[in-house]
Amino acid sequence: MRRRLLGRALPAFVLIAALAGPALAQEALTYQQPPAPIADILDARPTPTASLSPDRATLALYDRANLPPIAELAEPMLRLAGYRINPRNNGPANSRVAWLTGLSFQPVAGGPARAVQLPAGARFMSPSWSPDGKSVALLMDAPAGLELWVADVASGQARRLTEARVNAAAGGAYDWAPDSSALLVRMVPEGRGAAPDVSRPPAGPIIEESMGRTAPARTYQDLLSNAGDEALFDHYFTSQLTYVPLNGRARTLGAPAVHLGAGISPDGRYVLRTAIKRPYSYVVPAGLFPTEITVLDLQGREVHRVADLPLRDNIPTPFDAVAPGPRSVNWRSDAPATLVWVEARDGGDPRVEAEVRDRVFLQAAPFTAAPTRLVDLRDRYAGVTWGDADTALVSSRWFNTRRETRLVVDPSNPGEGRVLLERNYQDRYNNPGSPVTEPNAAGFPVMRFAGDGRVLMSGPGATREGEYPFLAAMDLATGQSERLWTSATGDYESVVGILDDEARRLVTRRETRNDPPNLYVRNLDAPQQGTGAPDALTQFPDPAPQLAGVTRQLVTYTRADGVALSGTLYLPAGYDKDRDGPLPLVMWAYPAEFTDAAVAGQVVDTANRFVRPGGSSHLFLLTQGYAVLDDPSMPIVGRDGAEPNDTYIEQLKASAEAAVNAVVEMGVADRDRIAVGGHSYGAFMTANLLAHTDLFRTGIARSGAYNRTLTPFGFQAEQRTYWEATDTYTEMSPFTYANRVNEPILLIHGEADDNSGTFPVQSERFYAALKGNGANVRYVVLPLEAHGYRARESVGHTLWEMTRWLDQHVKNAPAR
């Protein structure tokens, strides 16, 4: 029986397979350090993150841990039903946790921050404000598990509320009571024994069958695969709902179950509970297992059953497909105890013709009356923003057309709803923003209204000159919007919170090209602050001053078919084109699919943004004498009823050629010294460009997928199956054309990649295909790493590999 426990001794080397001359070599190489000053930047102290309290009086400042050592990733990990967990603490695996190490409270009114006293060496996760803004709860890592702690704003003291039995395997381990007096916590059941022994020999084969039932399934990671996995899943995911007062004795609610969610109603009288049950599946993750959605009272008694859903392993493949039955079940934010959910009216299949796709329902406590219809939607439900008794905004989306519709509905008089706006949700220039929400007294998000009854809206404010966030007031009767404030030219300043009832005093996050992000208080009525500098709340320094001299500019150009394209050109500090001439250049890109060429060609400058690289960013190459064309547009546009990917290769080649021509004509790049690279779908792009063009000297492909027959039920924005679009799948797969890759290529992949569709076998088999066809290829496997690389050793080594490879095949390469 295959065990899914991945803990092991620390890796002593990165496994590298490389083709060197005529022979295959396996290198035993220890982790390498990137060249200066990259290592110093990686080891710099991270900038804290901030969170504004619900009462708008206090900022919580969280110190962040730096890149973890590989030893943290080497802790045991279980992959179960789509989750990755740490069996030591019954929480998420270390590869999925960004640990916090310190907490302080900063008064918004001014004055010094007060540091909260935590245990030496503390690390915690999942902090959450109490609804009254007087406390912050958090999950503290302890040797035996996770403990629930609470920190008091007034005193700056923190204390432990529970022993080390919090069960965070499924995430969201606790929920505040609306009156801030207690928390609902998922705990490991009292007296739980040791984990089941799954090392015994199997008692028989593993058998699955499907007898004529159509049940397509996407490419999921980390699924259950045998009876041992099922036993481990039950052991680690079974939790006991426990009501834990801040002052008083905890009590259990109901029986233990495999809970995926639990939340208290706004009036504090009920608990909405989601639990899964057997039979489990080996082809879909836990969220699609048979599910019971019920309402409990605070004594743990079931008072209402919302849904008893079967296994959902036969959802159609189009992206707008959903499972039949209730979904997105939640509490209505602005009512005492009213359930809201949505159900498909087309059976969940977008291929079925239907005037109504989804219907949104309401049902109020005591849940004895039949549910009432809130609104019918012609597209798929995308969420609701609650306002007051007679105002809510319901959003719907349809992937095929990229259409977003927002409707104004009156919950007190349900009907058809009134269309407020309809738009292409990829259209950045005409984004009206989203309603500003704030926690109400119960801690649930509701719309923020201006004094005249208009709803406040905030948005990114994308223009060709850059993104300039705004605060606006929208009249829901007419859809007309008035800008109340817009970030000043040269600044990127966004609204974090609103401090007064008139929306004239704001907490903002402000950065410029040269100033790192910090938090401020802005008074819109003060002459010096309406457009001038606001009052600083924080003073976070530049985390990488070594890059302060780097220059960047927006580069615009046009594809042969007339589509407008752009990218951001970064040049090393001190570079002078007249003196230094063309540089070796790296293009780092990620394709995107569109239905509208005009939207695909929208250009947004980044000149007002503060940019510093982190992790394994390609921008570190600027310290090594390379120019970087970052995010050059690679739009794949559907035209004349055709799917975008039917001309993927043609459009990709045209975009890349236009980008190369642009930087060469500027004189900053040498056509004979340009590399291409990307991560994930960008790696897929890289391999295709090497297979189908001779534009680049080399490529770097990280954590990609190269054979689309291994993702036969759709990938990225392709919703057709392999059997519906066989030619497209085949032609888009660089694996098909491995014999045409005649430039050197560096493949890097995390050994434990957790991203759907980019199983490590993708790089493994592509490497084998390249090697078998005589390509120049190096294949680096990063032990313990997932889709994004976390460990300090892995990140440093990745940057060493990239720099070394580019120096060899671009900077110092002989002329072709």
Side-chain angles (χ1 to χ4, degrees):
M1 185 171 288
R2 181 158 55 100
R3 192 177 185 185
R4 304 294 285 275
L5 187 66
L6 296 189
R8 55 175 166 172
L10 294 182
F13 58 88
V14 177
L15 174 64
I16 302 177
L19 193 65
L24 175 67
Q26 301 286 338
E27 295 185 33
L29 187 68
T30 57
Y31 289 109
Q32 301 295 299
Q33 287 286 336
I38 298 175
D40 291 338
I41 298 173
L42 291 178
D43 294 330
R45 182 181 178 184
T47 300
T49 60
S51 173
L52 183 65
S53 63
D55 63 1
R56 301 168 290 187
T58 309
L59 282 173
L61 302 176
Y62 302 108
D63 294 329
R64 299 184 293 137
N66 211 331
L67 296 171
I70 194 69
E72 280 193 18
L73 269 63
E75 282 198 44
M77 176 175 69
L78 290 168
R79 305 180 182 187
L80 299 169
Y83 292 93
R84 292 187 174 186
I85 68 165
N86 185 338
R88 176 188 61 79
N89 63 14
N90 222 113
N94 281 333
S95 62
R96 295 188 171 183
V97 179
W99 290 107
L100 303 172
T101 59
L103 168 62
S104 58
F105 293 124
Q106 168 73 57
V108 171
R114 178 191 294 114
V116 175
Q117 296 301 310
L118 298 174
R123 65 177 191 175
F124 61 93
M125 64 179 191
S126 304
S128 176
W129 280 105
S130 61
D132 63 7
K134 296 180 180 179
S135 305
V136 168
L138 53 90
L139 296 181
M140 184 75 69
D141 191 34
L146 295 171
E147 303 168 341
L148 179 65
W149 284 58
V150 65
D152 178 68
V153 172
S155 67
Q157 299 298 309
R159 60 191 176 97
R160 187 179 67 179
L161 286 184
T162 72
E163 55 187 330
R165 289 197 299 111
V166 176
N167 189 329
Y174 68 89
D175 185 46
W176 276 100
D179 64 0
S180 303
S181 68
L183 300 102
L184 179 67
V185 189
R186 282 180 257 166
M187 302 288 288
V188 170
E190 187 78 42
R192 184 184 73 175
D197 181 5
V198 296
S199 63
R200 295 188 299 274
I206 299 167
I207 299 173
E208 298 182 55
E209 66 179 18
S210 182
M211 309 302 288
R213 175 174 172 264
T214 301
R218 293 202 172 271
T219 308
Y220 296 111
Q221 301 276 42
D222 303 333
L223 301 176
L224 301 179
S225 65
N226 53 52
D229 284 352
E230 293 187 53
L232 289 170
F233 181 74
D234 278 335
H235 178 81
Y236 285 105
F237 283 77
T238 297
S239 63
Q240 173 66 64
L241 296 183
T242 307
Y243 194 79
V244 181
L246 294 186
N247 298 290
R249 188 170 182 174
R251 66 177 189 274
T252 60
L253 301 184
V258 181
H259 294 108
L260 295 189
I264 304 177
S265 60
D267 65 0
R269 297 178 59 199
Y270 301 99
V271 173
L272 178 61
R273 165 186 171 271
T274 300
I276 58 174
K277 60 184 180 180
R278 290 175 178 268
Y280 299 151
S281 171
Y282 294 178
V283 296
V284 293
L288 296 174
F289 288 179
T291 304
E292 293 179 345
I293 305 174
T294 56
V295 177
L296 310 178
D297 63 19
L298 289 192
Q299 285 68 50
R301 297 173 300 217
E302 181 178 316
V303 298
H304 180 59
R305 181 160 292 237
V306 183
D308 197 340
L309 301 173
L311 174 68
R312 286 141 289 158
D313 64 348
N314 61 340
I315 300 173
T317 54
F319 290 174
D320 289 312
V322 296
R327 67 183 199 276
S328 301
V329 184
N330 287 294
W331 293 115
R332 177 177 161 181
S333 294
D334 63 332
T338 295
L339 295 169
V340 57
W341 71 89
V342 61
E343 295 186 34
R345 307 298 290 177
D346 58 1
D349 190 344
R351 297 168 297 189
V352 174
E353 293 293 330
E355 291 186 7
V356 175
R357 294 289 180 184
D358 275 349
R359 177 169 291 172
V360 183
F361 290 94
L362 295 173
Q363 189 176 31
F367 318 109
T368 52
T372 59
R373 181 189 64 160
L374 176 63
V375 68
D376 284 340
L377 304 174
R378 65 169 174 166
D379 296 331
R380 287 287 177 242
Y381 173 77
V384 58
T385 306
W386 300 102
D388 52 29
D390 55 8
T391 308
L393 282 178
V394 178
S395 298
S396 65
R397 286 192 170 193
W398 196 248
F399 176 81
N400 269 353
T401 58
R402 310 303 198 267
R403 180 175 61 218
E404 175 193 15
T405 305
R406 301 185 197 175
L407 298 101
V408 180
V409 298
D410 181 352
S412 66
N413 185 26
E416 296 304 317
R418 176 172 50 81
V419 174
L420 178 68
L421 61 89
E422 186 174 293
R423 59 184 296 269
N424 182 324
Y425 58 74
Q426 291 182 307
D427 183 352
R428 300 175 67 187
Y429 287 176
N430 297 296
N431 184 350
S434 300
V436 174
T437 62
E438 291 184 342
N440 61 15
F444 285 73
V446 292
M447 281 185 224
R448 177 66 191 269
F449 292 94
D452 57 8
R454 294 180 296 175
V455 65
L456 295 177
M457 306 283 287
S458 65
T463 67
R464 191 196 181 286
E465 292 71 32
E467 284 191 334
Y468 288 93
F470 63 84
L471 179 69
M474 177 180 282
D475 185 337
L476 296 184
T478 65
Q480 296 299 307
S481 189
E482 177 193 2
R483 291 281 180 98
L484 304 178
W485 170 81
T486 302
S487 180
T489 300
D491 294 1
Y492 181 88
E493 187 173 1
S494 57
V495 177
V496 174
I498 299 172
L499 297 179
D500 63 331
D501 294 338
E502 291 74 31
R504 306 305 296 169
R505 296 182 66 244
L506 315 174
V507 174
T508 64
R509 180 185 182 274
R510 177 179 176 268
E511 63 185 79
T512 71
R513 186 186 191 96
N514 300 313
D515 301 315
N518 272 287
L519 294 172
Y520 297 82
V521 172
R522 176 177 287 282
N523 186 342
L524 301 186
D525 292 324
Q528 73 276 14
Q529 285 197 19
T531 57
D535 297 327
L537 282 173
T538 61
Q539 295 180 337
F540 302 137
D542 185 343
Q546 302 94 325
L547 293 167
V550 167
T551 62
R552 71 179 186 271
Q553 67 180 98
L554 178 70
V555 179
T556 59
Y557 45 98
T558 304
R559 203 164 71 178
D561 60 0
V563 175
L565 304 176
S566 65
T568 302
L569 177 65
Y570 290 82
L571 298 170
Y575 170 72
D576 183 289
K577 183 173 67 174
D578 295 332
R579 180 191 66 208
D580 302 324
L583 293 171
L585 180 140
V586 177
M587 283 174 39
W588 198 268
Y590 193 96
E593 295 81 0
F594 295 87
T595 58
D596 186 325
V599 171
Q602 288 182 346
V603 174
V604 180
D605 202 348
T606 61
N608 60 338
R609 302 304 303 271
F610 182 83
V611 177
R612 293 293 184 267
S616 53
S617 171
H618 52 284
L619 294 180
F620 280 115
L621 294 167
L622 291 161
T623 68
Q624 306 304 307
Y626 290 89
V628 176
L629 183 61
D630 187 40
D631 196 23
S633 306
M634 297 284 175
I636 312 298
V637 185
R639 291 194 179 96
D640 302 324
E643 289 288 331
N645 284 336
D646 288 345
T647 53
Y648 174 87
I649 298 299
E650 171 191 328
Q651 295 191 60
L652 188 70
K653 290 164 56 178
S655 295
E657 184 175 7
V660 168
N661 289 340
V663 292
V664 171
E665 290 168 7
M666 291 177 66
V668 297
D670 175 352
R671 191 177 296 275
D672 203 38
R673 292 196 300 163
I674 300 178
V676 65
H679 191 95
S680 194
Y681 206 51
F684 174 74
M685 171 208 72
T686 297
N688 267 311
L689 286 172
L690 295 188
H692 296 287
T693 77
D694 291 312
L695 294 168
F696 305 101
R697 290 302 299 268
T698 187
I700 298 175
R702 300 189 331 203
S703 299
Y706 310 102
N707 183 350
R708 285 304 168 193
T709 69
L710 299 179
T711 55
F713 290 105
F715 60 89
Q716 203 68 13
E718 178 55 66
Q719 54 185 337
R720 296 169 296 177
T721 71
Y722 169 76
W723 299 275
E724 293 169 330
T726 304
D727 290 346
T728 297
Y729 273 67
T730 302
E731 291 166 6
M732 287 184 69
S733 297
F735 182 87
T736 306
Y737 303 99
N739 60 329
R740 299 187 188 177
V741 177
N742 56 7
E743 296 88 7
I745 183 170
L746 172 63
L747 302 175
I748 304 176
H749 214 119
E751 178 194 37
D753 194 321
D754 57 351
N755 181 57
S756 271
T758 54
F759 289 94
V761 70
Q762 289 273 4
S763 287
E764 178 187 328
R765 301 316 301 158
F766 189 47
Y767 168 73
L770 292 166
K771 176 175 67 70
N773 282 283
N776 293 314
V777 58
R778 182 174 177 90
Y779 174 34
V780 180
V781 179
L782 299 173
L784 307 174
E785 292 292 351
H787 192 60
Y789 316 144
R790 290 288 313 279
R792 171 62 176 83
E793 293 88 340
S794 302
V795 169
H797 188 92
T798 295
L799 293 168
W800 176 83
E801 289 280 357
M802 291 170 60
T803 304
R804 174 181 174 275
W805 186 261
L806 292 170
D807 285 352
Q808 178 181 354
H809 295 290
V810 179
K811 182 188 289 186
N812 303 317
R816 285 197 265 204

